[in-house]
């Protein structure tokens, strides 16, 4: 599902291939206003690659200092829904509405969250390598999109249950990393975490 990126002034043509690379790409964005636009993040990581986009949603949802901002989990849920729905219907490029691309986050909180995650990110990246390839092949990616679609539907009510949205962030992060690294074992783990997240949310709501 990786494809060449559209390029333009100030837009990098290099897709991140690891968690640390994606974090560095976000950290390198210039934010003189003190706010970071979602569109700028998309420019930094790529708009056509499913793995990095899932990883972005997971990373934002995983960072407590960012995901704790009211509305952020719902924003990431909408983003995930749009990306997964378009992949499931066969689109090769992902369209996002302007109101979503123009949303902003405080850059200081984003940078603080990234700094906190660098050491675990380096450790995770060292563990990744291609294996169980059918889990990250075309059929595996379709199943991943379906699982993430269901997870995104459950994310808004997760804001009412402590820590569950961060578990969803772990699942999205693992799915994104699994696709980028072609690591089927990590994909299997992400499916298990997704199942656990959905069970917890249903148990607390019913």
């Amino acid at each position: 599902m990786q494809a060449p990126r559209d390029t333009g002034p100030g837009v990098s043509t290099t897709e991140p291939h690891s968690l640390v690379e994606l974090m560095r790409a976000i950290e390198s964005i210039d934010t003189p206003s003190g706010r970071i636009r979602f569109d700028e993040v998309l420019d930094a990581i790529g708009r056509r690659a499913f793995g990095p986009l899932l990883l972005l949603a997971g990373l934002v949802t995983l960072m407590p200092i960012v995901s704790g901002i009211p509305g952020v989990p719902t924003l990431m849920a909408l983003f995930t829904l749009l990306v997964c729905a378009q992949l499931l219907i066969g689109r090769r490029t992902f369209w996002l509405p302007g109101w979503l691309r123009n949303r902003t986050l405080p850059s200081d909180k984003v940078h603080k969250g990234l700094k906190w995650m660098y050491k675990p990110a380096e450790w995770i990246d060292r563990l990744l390598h291609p294996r169980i390839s059918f889990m990250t092949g075309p059929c595996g990616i379709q199943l991943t999109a379906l699982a993430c679609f269901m997870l995104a539907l459950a994310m808004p009510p997760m804001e009412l249950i402590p820590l569950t949205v961060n578990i969803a962030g772990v699942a999205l992060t693992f799915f994104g990393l699994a696709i980028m690294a072609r690591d089927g074992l990590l994909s299997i783990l992400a499916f298990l975490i997704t199942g656990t997240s959905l069970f917890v949310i249903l148990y607390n709501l019913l």
Side-chain angles (χ1 to χ4, degrees):
M1 297 304 299
Q2 303 287 343
R5 288 190 55 195
D6 293 325
T7 59
V11 179
S12 170
T13 59
T14 303
E15 302 284 4
H17 292 93
S18 69
L19 180 53
V20 169
E21 284 184 18
L22 182 136
M23 291 167 62
R24 286 176 177 162
I26 297 173
E27 197 170 43
S28 68
I29 298 170
D30 188 28
T31 55
S33 67
R35 307 283 298 184
I36 183 169
R37 274 198 314 130
F38 199 53
D39 201 41
E40 294 172 322
V41 178
L42 295 176
D43 280 341
I45 70 166
R47 298 171 182 268
R48 294 188 176 186
F50 186 50
L53 292 176
L54 274 187
L55 181 54
L56 170 64
L59 195 63
V60 172
T61 309
L62 182 58
M63 293 188 290
I65 194 170
V66 177
S67 63
I69 300 173
V72 167
T74 299
L75 179 67
M76 289 299 98
L78 290 171
F79 170 68
T80 303
L81 282 172
L82 285 169
V83 170
C84 290
Q86 290 175 73
L87 186 140
L88 287 168
I89 64 174
R91 285 183 60 91
R92 293 185 60 83
T93 58
F94 300 110
W95 171 85
L96 295 171
W99 64 265
L100 179 57
R101 290 185 284 107
N102 290 324
R103 292 295 296 268
T104 64
L105 291 171
S107 57
D108 59 335
K109 289 191 175 183
V110 173
H111 290 163
K112 187 174 181 180
L114 291 174
K115 183 178 180 181
W116 173 78
M117 292 189 66
Y118 263 112
K119 284 190 176 180
E122 291 171 351
W123 180 77
I124 290 170
D125 281 343
R126 286 196 295 268
L127 297 177
L128 302 177
H129 58 85
R131 51 190 161 186
I132 317 179
S133 58
F134 72 91
M135 290 298 299
T136 55
C139 291
I141 289 178
Q142 290 286 318
L143 288 174
T144 295
L146 182 59
C148 291
F149 188 89
M150 294 173 62
L151 189 60
L153 288 175
M155 281 171 64
M158 284 182 182
E159 292 195 58
L160 305 175
I161 305 171
L163 299 179
T164 53
V165 74
N166 300 114
I167 297 174
V170 172
L172 291 172
T173 298
F174 281 13
F175 275 128
L177 284 172
I179 293 171
M180 290 166 60
R182 302 293 188 266
D183 193 332
L185 182 60
L186 188 62
S187 180
I188 292 171
L189 181 57
F191 275 108
L192 293 174
I193 295 172
T194 299
T196 301
S197 298
L198 295 176
F199 173 80
V200 169
I201 189 68
L202 287 174
Y203 179 82
N204 281 274
L205 291 177
L206 297 179

